[in-house]
Amino acid sequence: MKQAAFALIVTAAFIASVFSFGGCSSQQDTPDTSAAVSDSSVTPAETLVGQWKCESLTDHIYTFNADGSGQYDMAGNVLKLSYTVEKDDLTITFLAEGYVPVTLKYELKDGKLNIKDSFGNDTFYERISD
């Protein structure tokens, strides 16, 4: 029961952070690009490998490993995850009971990772390690 309650709380916190990306750095006039990755010699997943810190919620950090695993650290609340990339879609599955995969649009531009929420709002992350 405690595990289910914790999963519900963490899920709610993640969803709130994903769908409130306006709290991170947001730019209304960012030009739309059709491709998430411009260098065709590198796969989309390879370009995400590393740690990415939200520009304004600096205690929110994604870690994407080359093997498709990773974690999302929300101010010390760490969720293990798996991820896949297809074109400009980033699908994240949290490895805990009660989570469903979330697919979000993303793009890499000027060294920043931009993850768009379901409303098209931009959230920018900066790479902090490879």
Side-chain angles (χ1 to χ4, degrees), residues 26-74:
S26 178
Q27 294 179 353
Q28 298 297 330
D29 298 326
T30 301
D32 188 22
T33 59
S34 59
V37 179
S38 59
D39 182 356
S40 61
S41 66
V42 177
T43 66
E46 288 174 330
T47 62
L48 288 178
V49 172
Q51 287 189 309
W52 299 86
K53 176 175 65 171
C54 184
E55 290 184 336
S56 65
L57 296 174
T58 57
D59 54 356
H60 287 227
I61 300 171
Y62 274 109
T63 302
F64 297 108
N65 300 318
D67 66 358
S69 68
Q71 68 180 32
Y72 183 56
D73 184 342
M74 299 176 294

